[in-house]
Amino acid sequence: MKETPLSTCEKNFIIQAIKQNQRLDGRKNDEFRSIKINYGAEWGSVLVALGETKVLAQVSSELGEPKATRPNEGIFHINVELGPMAAPHFEAGRNCELTVQLNRTLERTFKDSKCLDLESLCITAEERVWILRVDLNVLNHEGNLIDCCSIATLCALMHFRRPEVSIVEDDVIIHTAAEKEPQPMVMHHYPVCVSYCTFDEGSIAVADPTVIEERTSESQMIFGINSFRELCCLNLGGSSLTSSALLLQCSKRAAKHAKYVVELVKQTLETDIAARESRSNVGFTECLKQNAITSLAEDRLVLKLRHFTFDDGDKSRIDESKCNEIDFENDRMESDGADKVPTASNDKWTVEDKEDCNMDSEDNAPDQEEYTNHQEQVTKISSKVQNKIPRDPQSDSEEEEKITI
């Protein structure tokens, strides 16, 4: 299935809004989306949500033989899976251009930068080493997949614990968690990816782009930066050139954001470890209670409708005072009391107590006198209406006109 192309009107609308520092989700050009991190019950399992972009990561380990060129180092692999769950145009089991780009960028950011101590994964030189594999499954693609995948990879590696092993007469024994405490990974630094998209011939940079902004942009900048403000990876792609001043400005902002992300990851790890030590409920069950696993399971009871005003000046911004909040939960008929229901009387809506309406079955039986009075009133009204209606002079019929009310 091919991806639905964007119309010229949509592209022009996005470009015009970005030139005036406005975006569809209400952010400014230099603002990032919120990050939510939830750890699973197993070590190395994590669910990361960057706005509506969601990625599930899982780290697995097994014993194997090392490479001939690196006999005393372990092996580390990263694999990204894009399926129809992420977006309808992705095909299961087939690598597209985006999948190859994500895998290569993550390998340069984590593997080539030596963030993970591979020598600590060696058990016996030239014989047995640990083989680590990080599997990333994209649950929903709403733009900036590389940033979400990098955060998920970092969280999974920092959260993972490998089993403890011992060597007895050239035999490797893997101990369970009940026998010996699993060991965490040894990491030298903590890199993450920060992406920007450029517009207006490379003069405007937009942080954390959405999927529609990525498809409208001219080029893309991906910075792989750790918490020490060291550049691990830089990827530039697109059809327009970016000025050196804008590149340096974006790199400084990316370094600041990378430090914030690493601190957030460490804070969530401490919270998860404290919950495990206190034997509290951990895992994705909390996500199910919050209804936050699926792609569109956000809290959408309150919507903010933002008004865009496009003009030639740079002073145009989103008018927060004109934001209309619609609460679907309270979107119902307002009444003075909770136990009141509306009834119709004389073409006007009045309010009567609910207790008056909820009568017993004996009280609900119609009274004979009220029924007779009602029929007399209907007869009087019909006779008055008949007298007021003029008769047709051309009609030869002497029968009275009948009107049904």
Side-chain angles (χ1 to χ4, degrees), residues 47 54 139-140 284-288 290-297:
L47 174 66
K54 300 187 179 183
L139 302 181
N140 186 47
F284 296 141
T285 55
E286 298 297 328
C287 299
L288 291 174
Q290 299 173 3
N291 193 19
I293 285 186
T294 56
S295 60
L296 299 178

Side-chain angles (χ1 to χ4, degrees), residues 18-248:
I18 288 175
K19 287 181 180 179
Q20 299 185 16
N21 199 13
Q22 298 182 6
R23 303 171 74 174
L24 292 180
D25 51 5
R27 294 180 293 156
K28 296 182 180 179
N29 292 344
D30 57 347
E31 291 183 359
F32 295 84
R33 289 177 289 184
S34 60
I35 303 173
K36 296 181 181 179
I37 302 174
N38 296 284
Y39 296 97
E42 297 182 0
W43 293 111
S45 179
V46 63
L47 174 66
V48 177
L50 181 61
E52 293 184 358
T53 301
K54 300 187 179 183
V55 175
L56 178 65
Q58 177 65 56
V59 181
S60 58
S61 61
E62 62 179 0
L63 293 178
E65 296 182 358
K67 295 181 180 180
T69 56
R70 303 285 184 178
N72 59 342
E73 291 184 359
I75 302 175
F76 177 46
H77 297 293
I78 299 177
N79 183 37
V80 181
E81 292 290 339
L82 290 175
M85 179 180 291
H89 60 275
F90 292 135
E91 297 182 6
R94 178 176 296 182
N95 292 334
C96 59
E97 183 179 356
L98 181 59
T99 306
V100 176
Q101 181 184 0
L102 291 174
N103 286 321
R104 291 180 178 177
T105 305
L106 291 175
E107 286 183 357
R108 288 198 299 266
T109 304
F110 290 91
K111 189 175 180 180
D112 297 346
S113 64
K114 306 294 183 181
C115 73
L116 188 64
D117 187 9
L118 297 180
E119 293 183 358
S120 63
L121 301 178
C122 180
I123 299 175
T124 304
E126 299 181 359
E127 293 183 2
R128 289 289 183 271
V129 295
W130 283 108
I131 301 176
L132 291 184
R133 179 184 177 92
V134 181
D135 293 309
L136 301 169
N137 190 2
V138 180
L139 302 181
N140 186 47
H141 175 31
E142 195 58 33
N144 203 3
L145 275 180
I146 183 61
D147 286 20
C148 192
C149 290
S150 65
I151 298 173
T153 303
L154 179 63
C155 293
L157 290 175
M158 295 177 65
H159 186 256
F160 180 68
R161 303 289 189 272
R162 64 174 177 82
E164 185 66 27
V165 297
S166 59
I167 302 175
V168 179
E169 296 180 358
D170 296 336
D171 293 334
V172 179
I173 301 176
I174 301 176
H175 299 282
T176 61
E179 296 175 349
K180 288 188 177 182
E181 189 72 18
Q183 299 297 320
M185 296 292 98
V186 180
M187 301 187 67
H188 300 299
H189 59 91
Y190 310 100
V192 292
C193 294
V194 183
S195 300
Y196 286 86
C197 283
T198 61
F199 294 85
D200 195 14
E201 297 180 357
S203 60
I204 301 176
V206 175
D208 191 8
T210 59
V211 62
I212 191 172
E213 292 172 349
E214 288 180 346
R215 299 176 61 185
T216 312
S217 63
E218 300 171 356
S219 62
Q220 187 178 16
M221 298 182 295
I222 301 176
F223 298 92
I225 303 180
N226 58 15
S227 58
F228 304 107
R229 297 176 181 263
E230 297 175 348
L231 186 64
C232 304
C233 173
L234 177 61
N235 186 12
L236 300 176
S239 58
S240 65
L241 298 176
T242 305
S243 62
S244 59
L246 182 63
L247 188 63
L248 292 175

Side-chain angles (χ1 to χ4, degrees), residues 35 151 154 192 256-266:
I35 303 173
I151 298 173
L154 179 63
V192 292
K256 184 178 179 180
H257 181 68
K259 185 178 180 181
Y260 162 75
V261 172
V262 173
E263 292 177 356
L264 178 62
V265 172
K266 292 181 179 179

